[in-house]
Amino acid sequence: MRKVLVVDDEALIRMTVIDALEDAGFTVIEAGTADEALDIIEEQAIHFLFTDIQMPGTNSGVDLAHEVATRFPDAGIIVASGRVRSDDIDLPPSAEFLTKPYDLDHIVKRFKSLTTSEPTTTNERR
C-alpha cells in the first residue's frame, strides 16, 4: 500500500485531500505542520508528499519537500499554495507545484502515475 503524507495547517483542506486519497486506495498519514511531518518521516518511510507551503512553525512546506526529496529520492512530491507563486520558491527538481484551489483528481492521478516499488531512503541529512 502506498503511503502519502498530507501536510496542511488548515484541517478542512487537509481532510478533503485525505478523503480523496483514501478513496483512491492510498494509505494516508497526516500532519498539521512541516515540523510535525519531519518528526513523522524520522519514524517511517513515505512514498508521496502533499504539502502546503506556508504553515506555522520553524519549517515551511518547501523545507519539508527538500527533506523528503533527500531522504526518499523516489518519492512523489506535490507542493501547493494559494499565496506563493512557483517562481518565488526553490523546489526540489522532482517536486510539482500546484496553485490553490487545486483539482483533487489531478493529485490522485499524479500519485497513481508514479511507480515505485518501495521508498528508497538515505541517511543523508540536510
Side-chain angles (χ1 to χ4, degrees):
M1 192 65 75
R2 300 284 177 241
K3 284 194 274 187
V4 182
L5 176 56
V6 175
V7 188
D8 198 306
D9 60 314
E10 294 187 39
L12 185 57
I13 292 172
R14 189 172 66 241
M15 295 312 298
T16 301
V17 174
I18 288 170
D19 287 347
L21 291 168
E22 286 179 340
D23 287 349
F26 292 97
T27 298
V28 180
I29 306 159
E30 65 178 290
T33 67
D35 296 334
E36 182 183 341
L38 288 167
D39 290 340
I40 290 170
I41 65 171
E42 285 291 325
E43 302 295 322
Q44 56 186 305
I46 60 166
H47 297 93
F48 306 106
L49 170 68
F50 179 85
T51 185
D52 187 24
I53 290 179
Q54 295 177 313
M55 291 175 281
T58 306
N59 293 285
S60 71
V62 173
D63 299 326
L64 177 60
H66 280 284
E67 186 64 25
V68 167
T70 299
R71 293 178 63 84
F72 310 109
D74 297 329
I77 300 171
I78 297 176
V79 178
S81 180
R83 297 181 190 107
V84 178
R85 295 182 347 201
S86 62
D87 296 342
D88 297 336
I89 54 174
D90 177 32
L91 290 177
S94 60
E96 179 178 345
F97 179 81
L98 294 179
T99 56
K100 291 181 181 179
Y102 38 75
D103 180 0
L104 292 173
D105 288 336
H106 174 79
I107 296 164
V108 169
K109 287 177 186 173
R110 177 70 179 131
F111 285 155
K112 281 188 169 187
S113 74
L114 298 171
T115 57
T116 58
S117 54
E118 286 300 314
T120 303
T121 61
T122 179
N123 290 330
E124 292 180 39
R125 298 287 299 162
R126 293 183 118 247

